[in-house]
């Protein structure tokens, strides 16, 4: 490699502060400010009202709470009405005003606050997802070193790089554009794009991606795509497109809101108009209509749905699963197909030494081979080096001092240990085609390990092979049990989708009990796999953790992200997050969702029975307003308490 790649000084740069993460503040959203104002006014007015203070002290506060929390859903409802659509939001506002008209001011104000808070949470979730999508573009560097035909170097914004330009990427820098290596050798961490757990060796002719991290070598790269067409830009576009085209989510009760709303409005008007036309006094007709609206209002129906789902969300949160909304909790129970990422999801995401194979005649046992390799790898920051050193420390091995350490990107490392030159690295590169004696034995061992899905590491002393190490990304302890549980809850075993190589993917799939594997996938390939399942009528749950999983998480019926090492984009795009990376909680939360759905159905039947009985009483006879309010509130409390059963620790699947 020409010396100019490593020795030429970088052009001077003005000092810049690191870019701060763009994150929407809660109170920067108007929906959140109005909801907070409504809640504050309600909390001030309520104790005054309950304490028997004069009406002038709490009445205006309630009125302001109605205005602060109700104007936006009222406006949205009226705009929908102009489109000949009647939604429950407007009906809730009318019900709240009706409650106030008959003296139930507190109930109406509470209803307003609940609706305003729900709208604020939805707006915040949308804004945070948009923040994370925009922040993904920060993975690509803002500038790149472009090489001119005369050999000079200039620092330019990555956005102006054109196809055919040549850029220089120094060790430790992020690559500024998609392209191919012209000159140099290095190892590139491209986990953000492919999900591969280890850096990938790059040589002339190899493809590289914008936003990936260069290792210890310098690379000259010919730009192959404009910035707008780079893989990282396409990931952003796919996430935004999938989020925008995802079918609108609805809770079970919302699916009947149009018919219920229209029917209730029409019935209330009839209850008012018919007796009035028959000669009933205006006050009596109005009171009867208001009583009808109170007892027929969907408060109990709304509470029939929300407490079970919110209780399930709280229970899941106690067990390390953050479910972002009631809609998500309901959708989790509907899934009938699962697609799993490999690295960091099904596996721990870090390599481990799995085999130690000293060669016959080397005079080394397993511990001696490992100690020798660890002594050389100790100064290196490569993930495989860390795995070798960690394995030696786990066995309590003493590491000898290493001198004259050197590293060759894509090949390996070498150092002098106890007066001997020891090399550790890729078998193909170190052996250089030798197949005689110890070299042939080492090549056969390495081939067998790699065929089994391991990454082989050769150890040699003074150019003579002495042993081979096998490393692999380790399956999570609960992975196989989780796969079996997911298979039992859906219509078959999960699908493994990964950017890793087919041999490693097949090995992990076999260990986990997965029979269908899609390997070597870029983000768009994962989305295509999800779309294929959806086209067959399946409701797909995707579980992943990386930037490369985000488009599939957004496109799926429901997306779940692993929380500890998950990228910001994956965490924001996913519908739920496994905070403690306990994979076994995923089938548990699916079962919890299905229990919540069964409770919802029970509550709807109960609430519907109360509403039917009270409405028939009001129509067939005269239902006193206090009794109507008592029946309405009683049914609301009853279905609410029934829904809270899922808060119990015993309600969590596996604890029952």
């Amino acid at each position: 490699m020409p010396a100019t790649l490593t020795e030429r000084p970088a052009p001077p740069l003005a000092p810049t502060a690191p870019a701060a993460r763009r994150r929407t503040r809660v109170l920067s959203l108007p929906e959140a400010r109005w909801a907070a104002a409504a809640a504050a006014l309600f909390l001030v007015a309520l104790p005054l009202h309950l304490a028997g203070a004069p009406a002038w002290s709490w009445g205006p506060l309630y009125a302001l709470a109605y205005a602060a929390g109700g104007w936006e859903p009222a406006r949205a409802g009226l705009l929908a009405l102009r489109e000949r659509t009647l939604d429950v939001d407007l009906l809730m506002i009318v019900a709240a005003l009706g409650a106030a008209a008959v003296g139930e001011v507190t109930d109406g104000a509470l209803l307003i606050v609940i609706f305003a808070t729900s709208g604020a949470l939805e707006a915040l979730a949308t804004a945070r997802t948009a923040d994370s999508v925009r922040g993904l573009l920060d993975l690509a560097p803002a500038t790149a070193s472009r090489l001119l035909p005369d050999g000079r170097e200039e620092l330019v914004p990555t956005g102006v790089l054109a196809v055919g330009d040549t850029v220089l990427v120094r060790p430790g820098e992020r690559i500024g554009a998609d392209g191919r290596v012209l000159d140099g050798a290095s190892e590139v961490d491209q986990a953000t794009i492919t999900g591969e757990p280890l850096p990938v060796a790059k040589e002339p002719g190899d493809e590289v991606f914008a936003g990936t991290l260069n290792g210890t070598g310098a690379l000259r790269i010919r730009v192959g795509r404009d910035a707008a067409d780079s893989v990282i830009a396409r990931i952003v576009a796919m996430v935004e497109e999938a989020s925008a085209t995802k079918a609108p989510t609805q809770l079970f009760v919302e699916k009947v809101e149009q018919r219920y709303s229209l029917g209730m409005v029409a019935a209330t008007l009839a209850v008012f108009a018919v007796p009035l036309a028959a000669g009933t006094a205006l006050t009596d007709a109005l009171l009867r209509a208001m009583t009808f609206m109170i007892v027929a209002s969907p408060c109990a129906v709304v509470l029939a749905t929300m407490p079970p789902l919110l209780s399930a969300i709280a229970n899941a949160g106690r067990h390390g699963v953050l479910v972002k909304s009631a809609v998500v909790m309901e959708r989790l129970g509907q899934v009938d197909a699962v697609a799993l990422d490999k690295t960091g999801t099904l596996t721990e995401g870090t390599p481990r030494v799995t085999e130690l194979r000293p060669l016959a005649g080397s005079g080394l046992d397993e511990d001696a081979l490992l100690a020798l390799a660890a002594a050389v790898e100790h100064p290196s920051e490569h993930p495989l080096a860390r795995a070798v050193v960690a394995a030696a420390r786990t066995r309590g091995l003493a590491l000898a001092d290493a001198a004259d350490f050197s590293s060759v990107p894509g090949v390996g490392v070498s150092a002098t240990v106890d007066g001997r030159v020891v090399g550790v690295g890729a078998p193909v590169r170190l052996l250089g085609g030798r197949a005689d004696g110890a070299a042939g034995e080492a090549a056969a061992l390495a081939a067998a390990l790699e065929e089994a899905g391991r990454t082989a590491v050769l150890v040699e002393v003074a150019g003579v092979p002495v042993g081979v190490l096998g490393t692999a990304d380790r399956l999570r302890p609960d992975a196989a049990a989780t796969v079996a549980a997911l298979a039992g809850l859906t219509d078959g075993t999960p699908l493994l989708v990964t950017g890793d190589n087919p041999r490693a993917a097949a090995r992990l799939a076999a260990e986990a009990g997965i029979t269908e594997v899609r390997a070597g996938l870029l983000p768009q390939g994962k989305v295509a796999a999800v779309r294929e399942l959806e086209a067959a009528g399946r409701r797909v749950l995707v579980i992943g953790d990386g930037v490369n999983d985000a488009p599939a998480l957004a496109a799926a019926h429901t997306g779940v992200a692993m929380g500890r090492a998950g990228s910001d984009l994956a965490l924001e795009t996913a519908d739920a997050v496994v905070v403690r990376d306990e994979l076994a909680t995923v089938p548990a939360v699916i079962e919890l969702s299905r229990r919540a759905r069964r409770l919802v159905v029970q509550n709807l039947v109960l609430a519907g029975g109360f509403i039917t009985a009270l409405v028939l009483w009001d129509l067939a006879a005269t239902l006193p307003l206090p009794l109507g309010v008592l029946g309405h509130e009683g049914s609301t409390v009853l279905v609410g308490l029934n829904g809270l059963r899922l808060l119990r620790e015993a309600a969590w699947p596996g604890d029952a």
Side-chain angles (χ1 to χ4, degrees), residues 381-621:
E381 294 183 355
H382 193 283
L384 284 181
R386 291 196 293 267
V388 172
V389 174
R393 286 175 174 165
T394 299
R395 292 193 175 205
L397 303 179
L399 303 186
D401 293 333
D404 303 323
F405 175 83
S406 66
S407 172
V408 179
V411 178
V413 297
S414 65
T416 301
V417 180
D418 294 333
R420 299 177 297 172
V421 177
V422 181
V424 180
V428 172
R429 305 299 176 84
L430 292 179
L431 292 174
R434 292 177 291 159
D436 57 321
E441 184 184 354
L445 280 176
L449 288 173
E450 290 175 350
E451 186 64 31
R454 308 296 198 264
T455 298
V457 178
L458 177 67
V459 182
E460 60 180 19
V461 177
V464 178
V466 296
V468 181
L469 312 182
T471 65
D473 190 5
R474 190 165 59 187
L475 201 67
R476 291 186 185 276
D478 55 355
T482 298
V483 167
L486 289 171
L489 290 169
T490 58
D491 294 336
T493 59
L495 167 69
L496 181 62
V497 290
T498 177
D500 210 347
N501 69 78
R503 285 187 301 188
R507 177 185 65 82
L508 263 298
E511 290 183 20
I514 296 176
T515 56
E516 188 175 358
V517 180
R518 308 278 181 89
L521 299 180
L522 288 176
Q524 56 266 38
K526 294 186 178 184
V527 172
V530 172
R531 298 290 191 207
E532 182 182 326
L533 288 171
E534 289 182 337
R538 311 294 292 277
R539 292 175 175 175
V540 185
L541 170 69
V542 171
I543 310 172
D545 69 308
V547 167
N548 59 316
D549 300 318
L553 289 169
H557 179 269
T558 310
V560 175
M562 305 300 285
R564 281 186 176 169
S567 69
D568 286 344
L569 184 64
L571 297 180
E572 296 290 356
T573 303
D575 301 301
V577 177
V578 181
V579 178
R580 296 193 290 263
D581 279 7
E582 295 173 348
L583 197 59
T585 58
V586 176
V589 80
I590 292 174
E591 176 58 31
L592 183 67
S593 169
R594 293 178 180 177
R595 292 183 184 181
R597 188 174 177 84
R598 290 193 290 269
L599 268 187
V600 167
V601 173
Q602 291 177 17
N603 280 349
L604 287 173
V605 172
L606 188 61
F610 266 90
I611 289 174
T612 301
L614 293 172
V615 165
L616 290 176
W617 188 349
D618 189 52
L619 294 177

Side-chain angles (χ1 to χ4, degrees), residues 55-74:
W56 60 262
S57 65
W58 48 262
L61 295 174
Y62 274 138
L64 290 173
Y66 273 75
W71 76 269
E72 194 166 19

Side-chain angles (χ1 to χ4, degrees), residues 312-325 328-329 332 559-561 563 571-572 574-580 585 589 652:
I313 289 173
N315 199 333
R318 289 203 308 266
H319 290 86
V321 183
L322 172 62
V323 180
K324 294 185 179 180
S325 71
V328 173
M329 178 54 75
L332 277 166
V560 175
L571 297 180
E572 296 290 356
D575 301 301
V577 177
V578 181
V579 178
R580 296 193 290 263
T585 58
V589 80
W652 179 254

Side-chain angles (χ1 to χ4, degrees), residues 17 55 61 63 137 167 170 173 261-262 265 297 307 316 356 390 421 424 441 565 608:
L61 295 174
L137 293 174
V167 296
R170 291 183 170 81
E173 291 183 345
S261 302
L262 291 171
V265 170
S297 72
L356 296 165
V421 177
V424 180
E441 184 184 354

